[in-house]
Amino acid sequence: MTPPDWHTRAANLTPPRQAFIDGKAVDAASGETFDCISPVDGRLLTRVASCGAEDVERAVVSARRAFEDGRWSARTPTQRKRVLQKLGELMQQHREELALLETLDMGKPIADALGIDVPASVRCVLWTAEAIDKVYGEVAPTGPDELGLITREPLGVIAAIVPWNFPLLMAVWKLAPALATGNSVVLKPSEKSPLTALRLAELAIEAGIPAGVLNVLPGFGKTAGEPLALHMDVDGLVFTGSTAVGKHLLGCAARSNMKRAYMECGGKSPNVVFADAPSLQQAAQAAASGIFFNQGEVCTAASRLLVERSVKDEFVAMVVAAGRRMQPRHPLDPDAPMGAMVDEVQMRRVLGYIEQGRAQGAQLRLGGSRTLTETGGYYIEPTIFDDVQPQMTIAREEIFGPVLSVIGFDGEEEGLRIANDTPYGLAAGVWTRDISKAHRMARRLRAGSVWVNYWDGGDMTAPFGGYKQSGNGRDKSLHAFEKYTELKATWVNLG
Ligand code: NAD
């Protein structure tokens, strides 16, 4: 089979641009649009509807109506399963189009969009669909005169606000369990990456999800996100994004109707390499791809590399060599190891952190600059700082770019102390061949996911989420259903 000619396809692509409300593609009520710029080359892709409070109102009313009349919520789990399976199949059929939209919209390499983002999104939808008619309620352990039924019911209308780093995947991590459990959804994708969510809404209608059950509102945080978060008729607010916005949204939930609120937020994850790692070479490769994958725009990026001092110099040299091989290229090049930063703002933000690292005395060992400027796009070299002190800004704040901070330590206790010295708690890695040390560390690391002797393991079968200021609640696995349902106890007097 000849590989797709991505450049020709990109030239012929017509991206979606309208909001999706009550089963129809519509302009924003105000008629306003925003420019959707491709970070690949800085060119305009399309102008997308910029939704505001009036569109939020239309979408929530439509979602509420759909929920109350039971067109989706009253279907059996098996019926909902079939429709969601159809959606997963359609996504699979349109995988190249979805991957291309993702790459052009947010700059990630096409090989990653096609090989990771889209398959993981399809698997999320299919796995969740398959699970929904296998989840049972409970019967309370009572005496003979009463019956206590414990059941889960959908919340009602869910607002989902998602980020730009894995636009389709983050959307389906919310949509799939929300829809599977019978809710209606209003989704707000990031203003930096609205395209795949809009295409997904069209595929959802084609799959048989009734009008009003899934609405998509492209637009900005303040003008589209906030009215959703404050809406009195939204029952659940689920969010993935930065910790600052997550905290703000918890306040919106509190100030409005105490809607259920779950926030998946940022990270500054420690990757702890002991001298007795099974293979320093493999650990070095994983350390590099753990931070440079997706241009470092990953909530679980391995952004703090903690290395035992006895092997630090040798190990850092290996990571630098691995990083050097990951230079960004045009994202439509199927061999690009890294692509473009999502936009100029994010590129400048990351370059600002690199300047702070230099100014605070960290040793720049690789990269440190913008590159591929002639493309008109926004690219940064893989960047590695050694001799980083735990209190430096680049060791504490989430950079969300291809910047690695290397910190030395001596022994288990110091490694653990530095690893846990962060407001975040999303993920952590440990490299050692000592199984007892690995388990001791895994137990004491304050993080929602811990990886032993690799980085970034995970699957739909296990929950994902954070400790501390990385958020609350969990996506993926059967635990995800907890966010989208209320527990009800029904008591029947048998006496
Ligand atoms: P962001 O917080 O700036 O934006 C996320 C979403 O919130 C966007 O849709 C944005 O429009 C919206 N938003 C912004 N301000 C708002 C407001 N006042 N009211 C309502 N909505 C508002 O985050 P981002 O820059 O898009 O994404 C990067 C962040 O996402 C990083 O911190 C990253 O760690 C985090 N992230 C976390 C996970 C996870 O699962 N924990 C996964 C991916 C990304």
Side-chain angles (χ1 to χ4, degrees):
M1 226 167 65
T2 32
D5 173 357
W6 293 112
H7 287 275
T8 308
R9 288 210 193 170
N12 295 326
L13 189 73
T14 310
R17 54 176 189 80
Q18 288 179 295
F20 207 84
I21 301 175
D22 206 25
K24 290 182 279 299
V26 293
D27 291 330
S30 65
E32 282 176 27
T33 60
F34 61 90
D35 289 351
C36 185
I37 304 284
S38 175
V40 169
D41 52 14
R43 292 208 196 124
L44 181 74
L45 277 172
T46 186
R47 292 196 169 84
V48 174
S50 183
C51 293
E54 205 178 318
D55 306 294
V56 167
E57 190 58 31
R58 284 196 290 165
V60 173
V61 165
S62 154
R64 170 62 61 195
R65 192 167 50 232
F67 183 73
E68 297 301 337
D69 73 16
R71 68 185 83 165
W72 178 251
S73 52
R75 289 198 194 174
T76 66
T78 307
Q79 289 168 333
R80 290 201 296 267
K81 168 172 101 171
R82 289 204 191 100
V83 174
L84 287 173
Q85 284 175 327
K86 176 82 180 146
L87 175 60
E89 285 157 17
L90 285 170
M91 290 166 68
Q92 174 67 12
Q93 279 166 28
H94 291 269
R95 62 190 178 280
E96 291 182 354
E97 179 194 356
L98 290 168
L100 188 56
L101 285 171
E102 207 77 307
T103 287
L104 295 175
D105 206 5
M106 69 70 65
K108 70 175 66 206
I110 189 72
D112 290 353
L114 190 63
I116 298 172
D117 291 61
V118 176
S121 304
V122 171
R123 174 154 165 77
C124 172
V125 172
L126 292 179
W127 189 93
T128 308
E130 185 55 53
I132 190 63
D133 61 358
K134 294 161 192 71
V135 178
Y136 292 77
E138 299 162 37
V139 177
T142 60
D145 292 342
E146 56 187 358
L147 175 64
L149 300 175
I150 303 166
T151 49
R152 286 201 171 271
E153 295 182 349
L155 288 183
V157 175
I158 303 289
I161 301 181
V162 294
W164 46 260
N165 59 338
F166 294 89
L168 184 66
L169 187 61
M170 294 302 103
V172 297
W173 278 10
K174 313 293 187 203
L175 297 185
L179 293 174
T181 44
N183 297 280
S184 297
V185 176
V186 182
L187 169 70
K188 194 204 84 64
S190 169
E191 60 277 17
K192 300 183 190 208
S193 61
L195 300 181
T196 45
L198 294 173
R199 188 68 185 103
L200 187 67
E202 294 169 352
L203 295 178
I205 287 284
E206 199 178 327
I209 291 180
V213 172
L214 173 60
N215 304 273
V216 181
L217 301 181
F220 291 87
K222 268 273 164 234
T223 42
E226 196 143 332
L228 255 183
L230 287 168
H231 203 289
M232 295 300 285
D233 205 26
V234 167
D235 304 290
L237 173 62
V238 290
F239 168 80
T240 299
S242 61
T243 294
V245 174
K247 286 182 183 180
H248 177 70
L249 293 183
L250 287 174
C252 290
R255 289 204 326 270
S256 53
N257 59 344
M258 217 182 191
K259 52 179 70 67
R260 305 292 172 262
Y262 296 100
M263 308 291 133
E264 295 282 352
C265 298
K268 189 76 184 174
S269 299
N271 184 18
V272 187
V273 179
F274 287 98
D276 63 355
S279 157
L280 285 178
Q281 193 61 51
Q282 266 179 25
Q285 184 56 52
S289 42
I291 181 66
F292 300 131
F293 167 61
N294 211 45
Q295 305 73 243
E297 297 162 325
V298 182
C299 53
T300 54
S303 53
R304 285 188 299 146
L305 175 60
L306 277 52
V307 191
E308 209 159 21
R309 282 207 178 82
S310 59
V311 293
K312 186 161 90 58
D313 290 349
E314 174 197 355
F315 189 74
V316 172
M318 289 188 236
V319 182
V320 168
R324 193 169 279 129
R325 293 191 291 272
M326 296 190 69
Q327 300 298 331
R329 290 194 222 160
H330 194 293
L332 293 182
D333 175 342
D335 295 322
M338 278 209 318
M341 307 303 295
V342 71
D343 66 1
E344 188 172 357
V345 173
Q346 183 66 9
M347 179 188 70
R348 300 221 172 275
R349 193 169 163 261
V350 173
L351 291 172
Y353 275 114
I354 293 174
E355 273 323 300
Q356 286 196 60
R358 280 199 176 103
Q360 292 178 4
Q363 294 303 313
L364 183 66
R365 291 288 308 273
L366 183 70
S369 303
R370 182 176 180 182
T371 182
L372 299 177
T373 318
E374 68 286 358
T375 59
Y378 314 116
Y379 300 84
I380 296 183
E381 296 170 324
T383 297
I384 299 178
F385 279 107
D386 196 0
D387 295 332
V388 174
Q389 300 304 313
Q391 71 281 3
M392 288 180 182
T393 308
I394 58 167
R396 302 211 67 79
E397 295 187 13
E398 184 183 44
I399 297 175
F400 226 54
V403 182
L404 180 64
S405 300
V406 184
I407 303 170
F409 72 90
D410 289 309
E412 213 173 310
E413 284 306 315
E414 193 190 14
L416 187 73
R417 185 174 50 71
I418 299 173
N420 280 338
D421 178 19
T422 167
Y424 296 109
L426 196 55
V430 188
W431 297 77
T432 174
R433 70 178 79 210
D434 176 341
I435 191 166
S436 305
K437 183 159 68 177
H439 277 289
R440 276 195 306 272
M441 289 290 291
R443 238 183 225 185
R444 295 172 71 196
L445 282 162
R446 305 281 299 151
S449 296
V450 176
W451 297 300
V452 178
N453 294 333
Y454 72 150
W455 188 265
D456 218 7
D459 182 53
M460 275 308 296
T461 48
F464 178 86
Y467 283 27
K468 300 195 273 183
Q469 294 185 40
S470 288
N472 62 338
R474 292 294 181 267
D475 286 328
K476 302 167 82 179
S477 82
L478 296 182
H479 291 284
F481 292 147
E482 291 158 21
K483 294 203 292 200
Y484 301 98
T485 51
E486 291 282 15
L487 264 186
K488 178 174 277 182
T490 304
W491 290 95
V492 183
N493 179 357
L494 303 178

